[in-house]
Amino acid sequence: MLAGEVRPEVVDDQHKHAAQRIVLLAPSAPFIIELSVLVDKETFRTTTTDYIDRLFRSLDRDQNNYIDLKEMENVPAFGIKQYDQGTPAQRMKKLEFPPMDNRLSLAEFASYLHSAQGTAFRITGTPSRTSQAIELFRKLDQNGDGSISDAEFMASSKTLFMYDRDEDEVFNVAELQPFGSDPNRVGAQPVVRQVVETPFRRLDNDQSIKDSISELFKKYVEHANAEKTALSVNCFKSGDPDAMARVQSFDRDSDGFLSHDELFVYLQNPVIDVQLQITLPRKQRFRPQLKLLKKQSNRMSEIEPVSNSKLKLRVDGLLLELRAKSSRHMFADNVRFYQTRFRVVDADKNGYLNQSEFMQLNIPKLDYKNVDQNKDDMLTVKELTDSLIKDTSAVQNQVVMTVQNDGKSLFEILDTDLDRRLSPRELQKSVQRVREYDGNRDRSLDVSELRGHFKLTFELGKPELFVFDPRMNSMAMGQGRAVQRTSSGPRWFQRMDRNRDGDISPREFLFDPSLFIKLDTNHDSLISPAEAEALKDNQQDTTN
C-alpha cells in the first residue's frame, strides 16, 4: 500500500451515491477520477433546495413524505438514461438507498435530481494572474477543435487583428482581456467571473457524458476513426490487464474501437484510475479531509500526502495539487459584512434603506423588490439578513472544484521579452516557441500539453463577495508600467519604431517602400535592428 493511501473505510451503500466522476484529458489518455464527496459526513447530493422540496411535495400525493410505486409513475425523466428507463419498480430499485423499502425519501429524490441536472457539483477554472484571464487559446483555435495547429499559429496575426484597438500592431493584456474586465474602470462594478478552460470534465448525467465524448474526439485525434466515428480501445490504455479487458468488453462488435454509443455506455460506468474521498464541513465543526482511497493506474506517480486535507500527485507528468477547503466561515462573514455596509449606506440614519441606498450595497444578483419582503419600500436589517442567509445557503448547496493553472499561459509563453505584449515577431515565432510543449508531437497544441501544473481546490460554493476578481491582480502584472523605447539599431530605426517592439513594420517605415524590401533580407515583413544596421554599413562602404 502506498504512503498516504488509506484502506477504503467500510461505507454503507448510501455513500455510493456520493461518488462524482470526472475525466482528466491527460496528454496520453483519459484519466478517470472518482470523488466520494461528503458534506457534514452525509452524501453531498442529498442536500435539498426550494425547487426540489416543491417538486417532491407535488409528487407525494398522499403527503406521507415518501414517493411510493404508484406515485413513481408520475416521476418524469430528468436526463439520466439508465435511471429514466424501465417500469416504476425498476426505476425505484435503481434510485433507492439500502435498506430497500420500495419508496423514495426526499434525500433519495434529491440525489437523483442533482445527478440528472448536474446542480450539486461544478468545475470552474480560475486565473491566478491577469495574463491568464486572456482567452488567447480560444481566440487562436479558429476551427474549435480544442487544439491549435501550426497553420493556426502562423495565421495568429490576422486572427488577432480585430483586437488591436489602438492599431499599433502589437497586442497587450488590456486589448486581449475579455470585454467588461477593464482594470481602469472606476466606481463600484459587479464582479465578473473569468472562466479559464480546464482539461477536466464532469461525468454525472447524459448531457455531460455526451459533452465529454465530443472532447475526447477532439483531444485524442490519433486514436479516432473518422469513418466509424469511434475511438480506439487503446485510447483507454491501462497497465492493468483486468482493467483493459473491462474496457474491451464495451466493444460489442469487437472491431477494436468504441463507437459513440459504446463510449456513452462505457462512460456511465468507466474503469476508475483513482478514488479519492473528500469530507467538507457545512454546519458541523471539523477540519476538511482529503483521502486517497485506491490507486488503480500505473500512470499515477509521486504521490505525496502533504496533510489531512492536501495531496500531491502526477498523472502523465502533469502535477496535480489537491486540497479540501472549508468555506463555512464565509457564510457568517458575508452576512456581517453587508450588515456593516447597511449602516454605512443608510445616509439619513433612519434604520432602513430606500432603493437608491440599497444600490450602494452593490450586492450581486439581489433585487431590492425581492429583498423588501413586506413591499413597504423600507428595507430593514432583518429583511436584508434573511435574504443573505437564504442566498448564501443556496450557494453552499453546491460543491465546487476550482482548477487553478499555476503554469505558464499561452500568452506568457509567447511573450518572450516579458513586456506584457505580443509583437508581430513573437507571433511569427510562435510555432517554434510552443514546439517543446507539443508532448505527442502531432504539430498541434492542446490545453493539457500547455499547462503542466494544476491546483485543485474542493469547497462549498462561496458567496459572490469572496469570488476571485482578476481585476484585483492587474497591478501585480505591472500593466501601468511604460514600455521602454527601443535601444538597438541606428537612431532613425529607434525613432521609427513607434510601438517599441524592437522591429519596424511596413506601416511604421517612413522611407521609400522599395528600400524596405531591400532591407528586409529574410523576407519576414519586418526590419530588425541588424537589418537596419546593414543600411548604415552600406552607406559607409559607398562613402569610402
Side-chain angles (χ1 to χ4, degrees):
M1 183 168 289
L2 295 167
E5 183 176 356
V6 299
R7 296 186 183 276
E9 298 174 359
V10 179
V11 184
D12 62 42
D13 287 340
Q14 175 178 340
H15 285 168
K16 290 181 180 178
H17 292 262
Q20 171 67 50
R21 290 168 181 161
I22 58 178
V23 55
L24 164 60
L25 304 177
S28 67
F31 188 85
I32 306 296
I33 303 171
E34 184 175 271
L35 306 171
S36 177
V37 185
L38 304 176
V39 176
D40 283 348
K41 301 181 181 178
E42 297 291 335
T43 304
F44 79 108
R45 286 198 182 96
T46 58
T47 305
T48 63
T49 64
D50 288 342
Y51 166 70
I52 294 176
D53 285 339
R54 289 196 304 270
L55 185 57
F56 182 84
R57 286 196 298 269
S58 69
L59 294 169
D60 179 20
R61 301 288 178 83
D62 56 11
Q63 303 299 306
N64 68 344
N65 296 322
Y66 290 96
I67 295 176
D68 57 32
L69 277 174
K70 185 175 182 180
E71 292 166 335
M72 190 72 190
E73 296 176 1
N74 299 316
V75 175
F78 286 107
I80 302 183
K81 192 174 181 179
Q82 60 178 325
Y83 295 149
D84 293 342
Q85 294 182 338
T87 65
Q90 290 171 333
R91 294 181 67 193
M92 180 77 75
K93 187 176 181 180
K94 296 174 185 176
L95 296 174
E96 276 192 284
F97 298 163
M100 306 296 189
D101 55 4
N102 283 326
R103 58 183 186 174
L104 285 185
S105 66
L106 176 58
E108 291 167 332
F109 181 72
S111 178
Y112 168 47
L113 211 59
H114 278 308
S115 297
Q117 299 184 344
T119 50
F121 188 88
R122 177 166 58 91
I123 299 175
T124 181
T126 302
S128 59
R129 299 181 295 278
T130 303
S131 61
Q132 292 177 328
I134 298 171
E135 297 178 342
L136 186 60
F137 196 98
R138 192 184 297 273
K139 289 178 171 68
L140 296 184
D141 180 18
Q142 287 292 286
N143 60 8
D145 66 350
S147 63
I148 306 176
S149 64
D150 285 358
E152 286 172 325
F153 273 119
M154 293 303 295
S156 56
S157 290
K158 292 181 180 179
T159 302
L160 299 176
F161 175 77
M162 62 182 292
Y163 299 100
D164 186 16
R165 298 179 211 168
D166 56 10
E167 299 183 349
D168 65 350
E169 300 183 279
V170 296
F171 307 94
N172 58 45
V173 170
E175 289 174 325
L176 293 174
Q177 276 182 337
F179 290 107
S181 58
D182 184 353
N184 296 319
R185 292 173 66 182
V186 295
Q189 301 291 342
V191 172
V192 178
R193 187 179 300 174
Q194 302 292 357
V195 178
V196 175
E197 192 69 24
T198 82
F200 297 89
R201 299 291 183 272
R202 292 184 295 115
L203 298 174
D204 46 20
N205 55 34
D206 289 1
Q207 188 56 53
S208 66
I209 290 175
K210 290 176 182 177
D211 292 342
S212 296
I213 291 173
S214 296
E215 294 298 323
L216 290 176
F217 277 104
K218 292 178 183 178
K219 164 68 178 171
Y220 304 105
V221 179
E222 67 276 17
H223 292 289
N225 185 319
E227 294 180 1
K228 297 183 177 182
T229 316
L231 282 179
S232 170
V233 173
N234 294 327
C235 180
F236 303 89
K237 67 178 183 180
S238 172
D240 183 356
D242 292 336
M244 201 62 199
R246 186 163 177 270
V247 175
Q248 292 170 340
S249 69
F250 288 87
D251 179 16
R252 297 173 183 172
D253 53 9
S254 302
D255 64 348
F257 289 88
L258 295 182
S259 66
H260 193 286
D261 291 342
E262 290 170 338
L263 278 170
F264 182 82
V265 175
Y266 169 68
L267 290 177
Q268 291 181 40
N269 189 23
V271 173
I272 306 301
D273 292 301
V274 63
Q275 290 176 300
L276 302 170
Q277 185 182 78
I278 299 164
T279 309
L280 300 171
R282 186 171 185 263
K283 295 179 180 179
Q284 300 178 11
R285 289 178 177 270
F286 61 87
R287 293 183 181 276
Q289 295 180 335
L290 192 156
K291 298 178 181 178
L292 172 62
L293 295 182
K294 192 174 183 181
K295 170 184 176 290
Q296 298 177 243
S297 173
N298 58 8
R299 294 166 56 201
M300 195 170 113
S301 61
E302 298 182 30
I303 303 168
E304 179 187 348
V306 180
S307 67
N308 288 336
S309 61
K310 294 180 182 180
L311 179 69
K312 287 184 181 181
L313 55 91
R314 286 187 182 273
V315 176
D316 290 352
L318 295 178
L319 175 60
L320 304 183
E321 293 187 46
L322 300 89
R323 178 189 181 192
K325 182 180 177 183
S326 172
S327 57
R328 66 183 299 275
H329 66 281
M330 294 181 182
F331 181 92
D333 291 348
N334 184 64
V335 174
R336 282 195 292 265
F337 174 81
Y338 284 113
Q339 286 175 336
T340 302
R341 287 286 298 157
F342 182 100
R343 293 190 289 271
V344 173
V345 302
D346 182 17
D348 50 14
K349 305 303 177 186
N350 58 3
Y352 64 84
L353 302 183
N354 57 35
Q355 190 158 357
S356 62
E357 290 172 329
F358 173 78
M359 293 297 291
Q360 296 177 51
L361 289 175
N362 193 32
I363 304 178
K365 301 178 183 179
L366 279 192
D367 180 71
Y368 182 81
K369 293 180 180 179
N370 293 333
V371 180
D372 182 20
Q373 298 170 7
N374 59 7
K375 312 301 179 186
D376 61 354
D377 292 325
M378 294 188 295
L379 180 66
T380 64
V381 173
K382 184 180 183 306
E383 288 175 321
L384 176 64
T385 301
D386 290 345
S387 181
L388 288 170
I389 290 175
K390 182 179 179 180
D391 183 63
T392 306
S393 296
V395 170
Q396 290 203 316
N397 283 339
Q398 189 176 62
V399 175
V400 180
M401 169 181 153
T402 303
V403 183
Q404 187 179 70
N405 163 31
D406 205 43
K408 280 189 175 182
S409 67
L410 181 56
F411 181 93
E412 292 168 322
I413 290 171
L414 300 184
D415 180 24
T416 54
D417 59 5
L418 306 179
D419 65 350
R420 304 169 309 284
R421 307 184 306 163
L422 297 182
S423 67
R425 188 172 297 281
E426 286 172 328
L427 292 175
Q428 280 184 3
K429 293 184 176 181
S430 58
V431 173
Q432 297 92 323
R433 183 67 178 161
V434 302
R435 187 64 67 220
E436 64 180 281
Y437 296 90
D438 183 16
N440 58 7
R441 301 291 182 251
D442 63 349
R443 305 187 71 83
S444 186
L445 188 74
D446 61 51
V447 174
S448 63
E449 290 175 327
L450 179 62
R451 300 161 182 163
H453 183 186
F454 294 96
K455 292 182 177 179
L456 313 182
T457 302
F458 301 91
E459 60 187 332
L460 298 180
K462 295 183 289 190
E464 290 287 344
L465 178 63
F466 299 94
V467 173
F468 173 85
D469 183 356
R471 291 172 299 177
M472 300 301 292
N473 271 12
S474 60
M475 291 307 294
M477 282 294 296
Q479 284 181 202
R481 194 170 62 212
V483 179
Q484 298 297 315
R485 180 179 290 278
T486 303
S487 58
S488 303
R491 187 69 175 269
W492 65 265
F493 177 92
Q494 297 175 20
R495 290 178 176 237
M496 212 175 283
D497 181 20
R498 293 194 297 275
N499 62 13
R500 303 180 181 184
D501 68 343
D503 291 299
I504 294 179
S505 68
R507 284 179 57 185
E508 293 174 313
F509 195 69
L510 301 179
F511 299 151
D512 191 284
S514 61
L515 181 57
F516 183 95
I517 297 174
K518 181 179 179 181
L519 291 175
D520 183 18
T521 55
N522 61 0
H523 307 295
D524 62 355
S525 298
L526 294 171
I527 297 177
S528 66
E531 289 172 327
E533 290 284 2
L535 175 62
K536 180 180 177 181
D537 295 339
N538 289 338
Q539 289 176 337
Q540 289 177 348
D541 292 342
T542 302
T543 303
N544 295 333

